[in-house]
Amino acid sequence: MTYPFLRANGISKRFGALAALTGVDLDINSGEVLALLGDNGAGKSTFVKILAGAHAQSDGELLVEGKPVTFSSPKDAAGSGIATIFQELALSENLSIAENVFLGRELKHSVLGIPFLRRTEMRDRVDALLHELDAHISDPEAPVGSLSGGQRQAVAICRALNLNARLVIMDEPTAALAVAETRKVLSLTRRLAERGCAVVLISHNIADVFEVADRMVVFRRGRKVAERRRQDTTPEEIVSLITGAHPDVRALENKQ
Ligand SMILES: Nc1ncnc2c1ncn2[C@@H]1O[C@H](COP(=O)(O)OP(=O)(O)O)[C@@H](O)[C@H]1O
Ligand SMILES: [Mg+2]
């Protein structure tokens, strides 16, 4: 029996009287890019925040490789191999790329009780990761403040990989990027999946999603209304699922 990396069973989330999510069932597989689509307010960010340990669900359960897990903080989720890259990347502008990748978990050794950073080792590790991601960043010692938006995404992805992430969640990673930069981030996304990571990508851009996603899930008003493999759908169908014009969604919403 093989398990999906992560399974969500009947996840609901209420904020007071508002039902932000209702009964979401979803499997997330290793080696796959899964796109989460939906209009503003559909519940996408709330759902991934639950996966990331930033919100507790009101109902339902999460299983990692078949075992039930409870996350009370992002640290717990990280301990299960789940890393989230939010739109606000939380990188330190004045620190180098390598320092950002290792922030909070620097490699150290101690001489006569005095801690020293193992700088060369950290730099080499970051250099290898950037290479593996084909990120086109030549100097891990460069300050993050000097990088473009796409390069910053690459640094955030390196940080996730350095934490041995097995599921990387990206919430609108290309929203603020120019076209060329978007291309780069999309290819990083593919490379993560090829490396065996599970990837969840939230994006408004249907063309981007069709370029990288193996599977697409559509949320509407807090419910999962559709799930399609890329080869079984079209951009037109996905748009009609998002807007609710699709007959399947109309039938579903008439029953509610
Ligand atoms: N912290 C919060 N407190 C109250 N309501 C929230 C909170 N976060 C999200 N919501 C509400 O939950 C719903 C889903 O929001 P969200 O998950 O951000 O949607 P999406 O990411 O798909 O645009 C919206 O109605 C939003 O206003
Ligand atoms: Mg959102």
Side-chain angles (χ1 to χ4, degrees):
M1 171 84 200
T2 57
Y3 294 103
F5 175 71
L6 189 134
R7 168 165 288 172
N9 263 339
I11 295 292
S12 297
K13 176 70 182 175
R14 289 179 290 276
F15 292 108
L18 176 94
L21 290 172
T22 307
V24 174
D25 296 325
L26 184 59
D27 283 355
I28 301 171
N29 302 309
S30 300
E32 178 185 65
V33 177
L34 175 69
L36 261 190
L37 296 129
D39 217 340
N40 282 335
K44 307 177 298 293
S45 293
T46 301
F47 183 72
V48 298
K49 282 178 183 166
I50 291 170
L51 304 186
H55 280 325
Q57 67 266 36
S58 309
D59 257 311
E61 72 172 347
L62 297 177
L63 298 102
V64 170
E65 295 182 310
K67 293 187 199 74
V69 290
T70 312
F71 299 148
S72 7
S73 69
K75 219 175 188 160
D76 288 349
S80 287
I82 300 170
T84 313
I85 298 173
F86 290 108
Q87 231 166 3
E88 326 76 54
L89 288 175
L91 298 174
S92 302
E93 299 269 317
N94 51 339
L95 296 182
S96 75
I97 295 166
E99 286 166 329
N100 267 282
V101 170
F102 276 93
L103 200 62
R105 52 194 333 261
E106 290 85 358
L107 304 177
K108 287 177 195 154
H109 65 149
S110 140
V111 177
L112 303 173
I114 302 164
F116 285 90
L117 291 177
R118 284 148 56 189
R119 287 191 186 280
T120 313
E121 212 176 316
M122 289 193 278
R123 193 195 55 216
D124 290 350
R125 167 105 175 113
V126 172
D127 205 31
L129 282 171
L130 290 169
H131 231 86
E132 196 178 331
L133 290 170
D134 201 11
H136 299 281
I137 299 176
S138 51
D139 182 12
E141 311 271 25
V144 159
S146 70
L147 301 179
S148 67
Q151 289 174 319
R152 286 166 195 236
Q153 290 284 342
V155 174
I157 290 170
C158 274
R159 181 152 75 184
L161 289 180
N162 195 45
L163 293 165
N164 296 316
R166 312 224 4 243
L167 165 60
V168 176
I169 300 167
M170 305 171 84
D171 194 348
E172 301 278 3
T174 60
L177 301 183
V179 175
E181 293 277 281
T182 295
R183 306 245 64 75
K184 245 176 240 168
V185 171
L186 292 178
S187 75
L188 286 175
T189 309
R190 267 311 332 156
R191 213 152 280 140
L192 275 176
E194 281 156 19
R195 240 174 152 268
C197 272
V199 182
V200 171
L201 173 70
I202 297 182
S203 175
H204 270 98
N205 189 315
I206 308 274
D208 288 359
V209 164
F210 270 78
E211 188 174 325
V212 293
D214 301 297
R215 207 151 50 94
M216 304 171 197
V217 165
V218 179
F219 279 21
R220 212 174 123 75
R221 299 175 181 162
R223 292 171 196 267
K224 182 178 106 176
V225 295
E227 188 173 330
R228 297 281 189 275
R229 288 183 308 166
R230 178 181 45 188
Q231 65 265 36
D232 300 334
T233 189
T234 60
E236 293 71 29
E237 188 190 33
I238 292 294
V239 169
S240 73
L241 289 164
I242 293 170
T243 60
H246 193 286
D248 289 4
V249 178
R250 302 222 322 241
L252 198 80
E253 291 180 352
N254 280 335
K255 277 194 295 180
Q256 285 160 19

